[in-house]
Amino acid sequence: MNENLSTGEPADSYAGQLSVVDQSMGFLLLIIFATLLSFYSLTINRRQLIYSQECPEKLESLPPVFPIRLLVGAIVSGCLSFFFHLALQNSREEGLTWAERCSAQRNLVASFLVLAAALIRLFDASWNQQLLSCGQETPEALPFSEAVEEDAPPL
């Protein structure tokens, strides 16, 4: 029998189901918040573009975008981890019909792929920031990477 993530109550109980729905609503609110932060970072990028053409002296006054993007990625990844865990619990539930089990397995795969995409984006953002902080456009000078051939095909 599945248990509620925070209380340990059986998820089959009314209180357990209500708690899972409440937790889901909370994580959805966090995703909405992260979306608003992402929108804010885009407005900063827009101002950077405008300032670079019209008044470069104002560029220094804009806040850095990377910490915002890193926060957004962390929030989204955490929320999607919760939803992946729910899908995993649902796929392991006893007494499902064949159609319910197939649906639960498809949802599990979809949840995994969405979580994987978010984690890849988070890794990519931090990797790119690491390159920029080292003043490098390529990873050759980074201490934790192997040299990459110039003519290697792109992924």
Side-chain angles (χ1 to χ4, degrees), residues 74-115:
I75 290 171
V76 168
S77 297
C79 293
L80 293 175
S81 295
F82 169 81
F83 290 114
F84 174 73
H85 187 264
L86 282 182
L88 184 61
Q89 281 185 323
N90 191 35
S91 72
R92 293 179 176 171
E93 198 166 307
E94 298 291 323
L96 296 177
T97 65
W98 178 82
E100 290 170 334
R101 182 157 314 284
C102 287
S103 177
Q105 290 173 348
R106 283 190 295 272
N107 282 321
L108 179 62
V109 170
S111 294
F112 172 77
L113 292 173
V114 170
L115 176 59

Side-chain angles (χ1 to χ4, degrees), residues 138-151:
T138 60
E140 285 87 7
L142 296 176
F144 51 84
S145 67
E146 297 288 327
V148 177
E149 292 183 31
E150 289 288 327
D151 57 352

Side-chain angles (χ1 to χ4, degrees), residues 40-50 62 65 69:
Y40 173 63
S41 73
L42 281 174
T43 63
I44 296 170
N45 284 137
R46 184 177 188 276
R47 280 189 250 149
Q48 287 173 336
L49 183 61
I50 292 169
L62 294 173
V65 175
R69 288 191 176 151

